[in-house]
Amino acid sequence: MRARYWQKGEVLDYKNETEEVIPENTAVLIGSRLGVTGTLIAPGEIGSLHITGVFELEKTAEKIEIGQTVYYDVDADKITVTAGSNVQVGFAAASFEEEETKVLVKIG
């Protein structure tokens, strides 16, 4: 099979298939991957979706250590260290205490 270089792959074109506007800096699941919108994406339109990098995201009330694998809990719409049926999205880029509400996540 032959291949031709297409793009760097840090940001993908993403079509908003919903009937709602997706604001910029919104976490979006694409299959088993997490991306973050770089622009506002209107329904039916194409916008940018960052699929690599470090992003600040909301987390559940639990301690998270730097380097720890983290997951996206779709029901809570937050990052957790609990695997279960949650989607693995990357690892913690710093340590955070239980009472903190945000976590830095390296996705990609």
Side-chain angles (χ1 to χ4, degrees):
M1 167 180 18
R2 295 190 42 83
R4 181 173 61 96
Y5 180 81
W6 187 261
Q7 67 185 46
K8 198 170 186 177
E10 295 172 349
V11 179
L12 299 178
D13 290 337
Y14 176 75
K15 185 172 184 179
N16 179 357
E17 301 283 354
T18 74
E19 295 184 14
E20 302 290 327
V21 170
I22 303 174
E24 65 277 353
N25 301 315
T26 298
V28 175
L29 273 181
I30 52 170
S32 62
R33 303 279 181 197
L34 185 76
V36 177
T37 56
T39 58
L40 177 144
I41 309 174
E45 297 297 316
I46 295 174
S48 62
L49 187 68
H50 297 270
I51 58 164
T52 187
V54 177
F55 294 88
E56 182 182 67
L57 299 163
E58 292 187 36
K59 72 174 197 61
T60 56
E62 58 194 342
K63 186 173 182 169
I64 299 177
E65 298 291 337
I66 187 169
Q68 192 170 11
T69 301
V70 294
Y71 304 84
Y72 176 59
D73 181 334
V74 177
D75 295 331
D77 194 27
K78 293 183 179 183
I79 298 299
T80 180
V81 293
T82 304
S85 62
N86 297 319
V87 178
Q88 182 178 336
V89 294
F91 63 90
S95 295
F96 295 87
E97 296 299 322
E98 185 175 324
E99 63 274 4
E100 294 180 272
T101 60
K102 308 277 184 175
V103 62
L104 294 176
V105 176
K106 168 63 171 93
I107 65 171

